[in-house]
Amino acid sequence: MSKIILTGDRPTGKLHVGHYVGSLRRRVELQNSGEYDKIFIMIADAQALTDNADNPEKIRQNIIEVALDYLSCGLDPNKSTLFIQSQIQELTELSFYYMNLVTVSRLQRNPTVKAEIQMRNFETSIPVGFFTYPISQAADITAFKATTVPVGEDQLPMIEQCREIVRKFNSVYGDTLVEPEALIPQTQACCRLPGIDGKAKMSKSLGNCIYLSDSADEVRTKVMSMFTDPNHLKITDPGSLEGNTVFTYLDAFCKEEHFGRYLPEYANLDELKAHYQRGGLGDVKVKKFLNNVMQEELEPIRNRRKELEKQIPDIYEILKKGSEVARQEAAKTMADVKAAMKINYFDDAALIASQAEKYAQD
Ligand code: ATP
Ligand code: MG
C-alpha cells in the first residue's frame, strides 16, 4: 500500500513554535526521508471559518502567512503538495455523506471539541459547522487516502473519530476508505508545547505564542519573560522542573551539541536539570541558554522567510497548482465513494439496463 501523508493548519494566524515542534518539523523530516509516496499539506481555511464565520478577512490574510511559514521551514512544493482546503469541493461533498455515519452524542463526547467549545465560550451557541468539524477533518484525511497524519497530541481524538468513520463506511458500503494513523511527537514537550505563560497549550487563540516569524529581539524578550518556578526566588533555592516552561522548551528544542556551543560547563540537559533542582542555578542563566538554542533553530527559518516575502505572487501560484493536484486526487476518491454508495447512477450501465428491462416486461 502507498504511504501517504495529509496534515495541515488553520489560517487563523502566523504559525508558532508549538506548530513547529508538534508537527511542522516532523513533516519536513518525513518529506525529506523519501519514504512517502505522496504528501499533502493543507491550509484549512474552511475549517477556520467554522469559528470565524464573521471574520473572513482574517482567514484570507493568513493564508499567505501560513504558506510563508511552511516554505521557510523547508516544505518543498516539488516534494509536497501545498493546497487550500476550500478549493477542493469534494471535501465538502464527502463531509455531507460522512455526517450520516456519526451520531450527535459521539461528537459531543469528542474531548478536543469539548475543550475548544469551552475556550471559545460557545456553550450555548455552537455553530453547527464548528460542532461537526471532526467530520470535515475525516473527509480531508480520507479524500487523499492518507495513511499517516503528523499532528500534535490535541488532534488524537480527531484521528480516532476519523478511523471510526472509515470503519463504519467500509462496513456499510464495502472496502473503500483507508484508516489513517496519527504520528505524534516522540517527546511529551513537543506533543503539547505550553504557551510562554506556562498556563495552557501555545495557541494562536490564547495569544501566548512565540511565532516562527518573530524577530530575534522579540524571541529574546519572550524567552526572558517566560514562566518558571514561582518558588525559585534566590539562586541558591532548589528549583522545580514541574510546569517550568523554560525546561519544557529545552526538552523540545535542546540537543546535546548546544551545550558545547553555549553552556560548556554542562554535558547535557540532565546535568543542567539536576543542578537546577539542587539549587545554585539561576533562571536567567537557563533562559539565556534557551534563547541561544531557539535563535539557532529559528534564524535560518526567519532568513528564508525574508527572501520568500519578495516572491508573494509565486507563492499564490504554488498554492493554485497544489490545489489543482489535490483536487484531482480527491476527485478519484469521490468517484470511489459514489460508486460504493451507489449514487453513481449515470456511470452504472447495469442499473439503467435493468430498469429498462423491468419496464419492458410490464
Ligand atoms: P487555533 O487556536 O486557531 O486552533 P492552533 O494554534 O491550535 O490554532 P491549529 O491550526 O489548530 O493551531 O493546529 C495545527 C497543528 O499544530 C495541529 O497538528 C496541532 O496539533 C499542532 N499544534 C498546535 N498547537 C500546538 C502546541 N502548542 N504544541 C504542539 N502541537 C501543536
Ligand atoms: Mg487548534
Side-chain angles (χ1 to χ4, degrees):
M1 195 171 69
S2 308
K3 288 174 79 179
I4 301 174
I5 289 177
L6 177 287
T7 186
D9 307 271
R10 295 152 40 95
T12 48
K14 295 178 174 189
L15 298 185
H16 54 62
V17 296
H19 299 119
Y20 183 71
V21 300
S23 172
L24 204 44
R25 179 164 66 180
R26 187 77 169 281
R27 286 179 213 173
V28 176
E29 283 166 16
L30 297 172
Q31 169 195 270
N32 296 337
S33 74
E35 280 175 25
Y36 287 82
D37 300 290
K38 290 179 196 160
I39 302 175
F40 296 95
I41 311 288
M42 178 182 80
I43 302 182
D45 61 337
Q47 188 188 116
L49 283 165
T50 64
D51 57 330
N52 289 280
D54 51 0
N55 203 353
E57 196 55 34
K58 171 172 148 191
I59 307 306
R60 184 180 169 82
Q61 294 298 328
N62 279 307
I63 300 256
I64 194 73
E65 299 297 342
V66 173
L68 281 165
D69 287 329
Y70 280 171
L71 296 168
S72 46
C73 283
L75 286 176
D76 175 352
N78 295 314
K79 298 180 184 160
S80 300
T81 302
L82 309 181
F83 71 98
I84 304 180
Q85 185 186 25
S86 61
Q87 305 306 299
I88 320 298
Q89 65 197 50
E90 285 78 6
L91 300 179
T92 330
E93 208 176 338
L94 283 174
S95 305
F96 190 73
Y97 295 121
Y98 294 173
M99 283 189 191
N100 302 334
L101 307 175
V102 181
T103 63
V104 171
S105 63
R106 174 63 184 87
L107 281 175
Q108 279 166 334
R109 278 202 310 274
N110 185 314
T112 304
V113 177
K114 255 193 204 166
E116 290 183 335
I117 285 173
Q118 215 172 25
M119 196 170 102
R120 290 167 175 74
N121 290 323
F122 271 170
E123 276 96 339
T124 50
S125 58
I126 314 164
V128 174
F130 184 81
F131 182 60
T132 57
Y133 94 74
I135 300 176
S136 132
Q137 204 160 309
D140 304 333
I141 295 168
T142 54
F144 300 96
K145 304 222 155 109
T147 51
T148 312
V149 189
V151 281
E153 194 185 37
D154 61 321
Q155 292 299 312
L156 281 179
M158 301 297 161
I159 309 300
E160 194 40 49
Q161 183 129 40
C162 175
R163 290 164 62 91
E164 282 175 35
I165 291 172
V166 170
R167 288 197 291 268
K168 179 89 181 174
F169 188 100
N170 288 348
S171 78
V172 176
Y173 302 115
D175 245 356
T176 313
L177 303 176
V178 176
E179 239 183 276
E181 304 268 356
L183 199 59
I184 61 165
Q186 288 108 334
T187 54
Q188 193 47 40
C190 297
C191 276
R192 186 179 287 260
L193 195 74
I196 52 171
D197 54 3
K199 282 196 198 111
K201 171 180 107 102
M202 179 176 288
S203 166
K204 286 169 275 180
S205 311
L206 295 173
N208 57 4
C209 304
I210 296 179
Y211 292 98
L212 291 171
S213 48
D214 277 349
S215 68
D217 280 349
E218 284 167 322
V219 173
R220 189 178 310 107
T221 307
K222 288 179 183 178
V223 169
M224 296 315 284
S225 74
M226 226 175 232
F227 183 81
T228 58
D229 170 8
N231 299 318
H232 187 236
L233 299 173
K234 292 199 293 286
I235 291 182
T236 47
D237 289 341
S240 164
L241 304 177
E242 186 78 19
N244 189 322
T245 319
V246 177
F247 280 95
T248 312
Y249 277 51
L250 283 173
D251 281 334
F253 283 97
C254 166
K255 300 186 202 111
E256 216 152 285
E257 69 237 38
H258 289 133
F259 283 91
R261 283 203 278 287
Y262 306 117
L263 208 56
E265 57 266 48
Y266 302 90
N268 55 40
L269 191 52
D270 288 339
E271 276 188 16
L272 189 76
K273 285 179 175 173
H275 191 187
Y276 191 79
Q277 286 174 302
R278 265 198 322 272
L281 174 58
D283 283 349
V284 171
K285 188 165 179 177
V286 187
K287 285 178 172 176
K288 282 188 173 156
F289 175 58
L290 173 63
N291 178 54
N292 284 326
V293 168
M294 290 190 67
Q295 298 287 359
E296 184 180 311
E297 187 109 7
L298 297 178
E299 194 189 315
I301 298 175
R302 196 184 297 133
N303 292 343
R304 273 198 297 272
R305 200 182 208 274
K306 285 268 163 301
E307 286 308 304
L308 289 157
E309 285 168 358
K310 298 175 193 153
Q311 307 163 34
I312 298 296
D314 298 339
I315 298 175
Y316 276 104
E317 199 52 37
I318 288 171
L319 296 175
K320 186 176 171 202
K321 291 231 169 70
S323 299
E324 283 160 11
V325 171
R327 174 113 204 259
Q328 281 167 16
E329 205 63 28
K332 284 189 223 158
T333 304
M334 195 67 232
D336 294 346
V337 162
K338 282 188 157 174
M341 292 180 71
K342 299 187 182 297
I343 52 176
N344 59 338
Y345 314 110
F346 309 127
D347 302 335
D348 192 346
L351 167 76
I352 298 169
S354 74
Q355 296 289 11
E357 200 177 317
K358 190 170 96 191
Y359 282 97
Q361 283 163 8
D362 287 346

